[in-house]
Amino acid sequence: MKQLYVFGFFFILLSCQTEEFFEQVDETSSLTSQSELTGFISRLNQNPTAFDDFIDSSNSLSLEFPYQITINSTNTFTLNEFDDYQAVINELISLPNDYSIDITFPVQVSLPNYELLNIENEIALISVLNTVEGSTEINCLEYTFPIQLNVFDSDNNFINERSIQNEAQFFNFLDNLKPTDDFYEIAYPIEIRIDTTVQNIVSNLELEIAIRNLAENCFNPSLFINSNTQLQQFVAFITSGEFEVTSFIDEEQDETDDYVDFVFTFNINNTISVINTTSGNSFTGEWTAEIDEEELIFELDFESNELLEEFDEDWLVVRFSSPNTIELYDEDLDTDELSILIFEKL
């Protein structure tokens, strides 16, 4: 009888441990490093690196105060605080777009993961830019910390609970997730603030809707955008992921369904890699982006595929990165009919 009691106690203890440590992830609320919402959350919590890209020409890092720059080899500015950018912007507004900005070294820079680096010269800066993946922050939305996260492994077993205290912790937690082995859940409700409005969020869907409904300028954080800056931002956006077609209106005829199986990658060397996810067939093309008469033009040129050749146009870029789309227009000057092509990042 004593042995039976011991066995019964052990069974109850094991059951409690199973419930506590092997709780299964809820597929409807779980997220991975590959989830679109994770990408949004990461951009909301990253160290801001795109706001000063009109100076350092990169969203891979930001320059830390104090530092000094020289415009067109003549006008020198010392930046000690955020408000000092306005004097630089006022100077740039008065100049043609072909101005030059030289950074005085050494400088300290910060990366999207909040890491600080000391940069001794331009060669060292270029080396960092070549090794750090750029990212454009999303502004306007802030969390009320702490936020609780439940973490699971690839077998859906509960690992631990994480209490996130600030944006840096949140970003680096997401940045360190294994692509296929780690899952997490946000313990709702959470509180967010958009400008001065406080909202209680109770699900992933509500959080995603709140992010997608942000004003367009929240997705374009550069303090000063001229044509050169806009072009740099566009190239950085299109070359950092895969895209699908979410809308194609060809001279007012909806042909979107013809492209649901295609995935597009715009490579940094101006080539395009396309795969049909159903047939497995792959195709290639080329892209160029330029500023023409103050408009951003995105030219597409595909080969050996009649469907893709429908995209062969010099498209006007209407908007991009708000939050994850490229919206393109092309108007037929003879018929006045408008074609619309929208890519969305996967």
Side-chain angles (χ1 to χ4, degrees):
M1 182 65 68
K2 183 176 181 181
Q3 290 179 337
L4 180 61
Y5 289 152
V6 172
F7 177 79
F9 174 75
F10 177 75
F11 179 78
I12 294 172
L13 179 61
L14 181 61
S15 299
C16 293
Q17 287 181 327
T18 300
E19 181 178 354
E20 180 178 356
F21 295 105
F22 297 94
E23 176 184 352
Q24 287 198 328
V25 63
D26 184 345
E27 293 183 358
T28 62
S29 60
S30 65
L31 297 165
T32 71
S33 65
Q34 306 301 305
S35 302
E36 184 176 30
L37 182 56
T38 295
F40 291 156
I41 297 172
S42 181
R43 290 170 62 189
L44 281 164
N45 288 282
Q46 74 166 76
N47 178 46
T49 54
F51 71 95
D52 64 349
D53 58 4
F54 68 100
I55 292 178
D56 57 31
S57 300
S58 172
N59 60 8
S60 297
L61 54 81
S62 60
L63 298 164
E64 292 293 307
F65 300 123
Y67 68 94
Q68 193 173 81
I69 63 171
T70 302
I71 300 177
N72 288 342
S73 303
T74 56
N75 297 332
T76 298
F77 295 82
T78 299
L79 293 93
N80 295 299
E81 59 184 17
F82 197 84
D83 289 344
D84 291 336
Y85 284 116
Q86 190 58 55
V88 177
I89 292 172
N90 291 341
E91 176 71 13
L92 296 179
I93 290 174
S94 68
L95 299 174
N97 284 335
D98 59 351
Y99 58 79
S100 65
I101 297 179
D102 296 313
I103 301 169
T104 302
F105 294 94
V107 293
Q108 188 176 61
V109 302
S110 58
L111 307 184
N113 66 356
Y114 294 85
E115 180 181 0
L116 295 173
L117 297 176
N118 293 316
I119 306 297
E120 297 298 326
N121 50 53
E122 187 172 4
I123 294 176
L125 179 63
I126 293 172
S127 177
V128 172
L129 294 177
N130 288 336
T131 57
V132 177
E133 183 177 352
S135 183
T136 301
E137 63 267 20
I138 299 175
N139 293 328
C140 308
L141 186 153
E142 297 178 351
Y143 301 97
T144 299
F145 293 99
I147 290 176
Q148 306 301 319
L149 304 178
N150 297 319
V151 186
F152 301 82
D153 64 18
S154 58
D155 295 322
N156 292 348
N157 296 322
F158 177 76
I159 299 177
N160 59 36
E161 182 181 70
R162 296 284 297 274
S163 181
I164 304 297
Q165 303 296 321
N166 53 52
E167 292 175 336
Q169 283 188 6
F170 210 165
F171 176 86
N172 283 290
F173 168 81
L174 299 176
D175 196 42
N176 291 321
L177 285 174
K178 298 175 183 177
T180 58
D181 294 339
D182 292 337
F183 299 82
Y184 72 98
E185 291 177 344
I186 299 173
Y188 293 104
I190 63 172
E191 186 178 87
I192 65 171
R193 184 170 60 257
I194 301 175
D195 295 326
T196 59
T197 303
V198 176
Q199 298 181 29
N200 286 316
I201 302 295
V202 299
S203 68
N204 289 342
L205 179 60
E206 284 193 6
L207 180 57
E208 183 170 340
I209 291 173
I211 296 171
R212 288 184 177 275
N213 286 341
L214 292 173
E216 185 173 346
N217 66 308
C218 299
F219 301 95
N220 297 290
S222 181
L223 295 177
F224 176 69
I225 298 179
N226 63 9
S227 56
N228 292 330
T229 302
Q230 185 186 33
L231 180 60
Q232 292 164 1
Q233 290 179 343
F234 179 71
V235 171
F237 177 71
I238 66 171
T239 57
S240 61
E242 297 178 329
F243 291 83
E244 64 179 351
V245 173
T246 55
S247 181
F248 179 47
I249 310 299
D250 186 16
E251 297 183 352
E252 302 183 5
Q253 298 295 316
D254 191 343
E255 299 179 11
T256 307
D257 290 345
D258 294 337
Y259 300 90
V260 294
D261 297 325
F262 290 90
V263 174
F264 298 77
T265 302
F266 301 100
N267 302 304
I268 195 67
N269 64 355
N270 293 96
T271 62
I272 308 172
S273 302
V274 187
I275 187 167
N276 185 309
T277 57
T278 298
S279 68
N281 294 331
S282 58
F283 311 93
T284 60
E286 295 180 348
W287 67 268
T288 58
E290 63 179 356
I291 300 296
D292 184 14
E293 297 182 353
E294 300 301 317
E295 293 183 330
L296 178 55
I297 304 300
F298 188 36
E299 182 180 354
L300 301 178
D301 183 16
F302 291 95
E303 303 172 356
S304 305
N305 184 280
E306 292 184 3
L307 274 178
L308 296 177
E309 288 174 358
E310 293 290 323
F311 294 166
D312 289 1
E313 298 289 352
D314 294 346
W315 296 92
L316 171 66
V317 180
V318 179
R319 62 179 57 88
F320 64 94
S321 185
S322 55
N324 253 0
T325 60
I326 309 168
E327 187 170 339
L328 310 172
Y329 285 6
D330 179 68
E331 185 175 5
D332 190 314
L333 298 180
D334 295 326
T335 64
D336 291 330
E337 292 182 326
L338 183 66
S339 295
I340 301 172
L341 174 59
I342 299 177
F343 292 99
E344 183 162 356
K345 186 174 289 188
L346 295 172

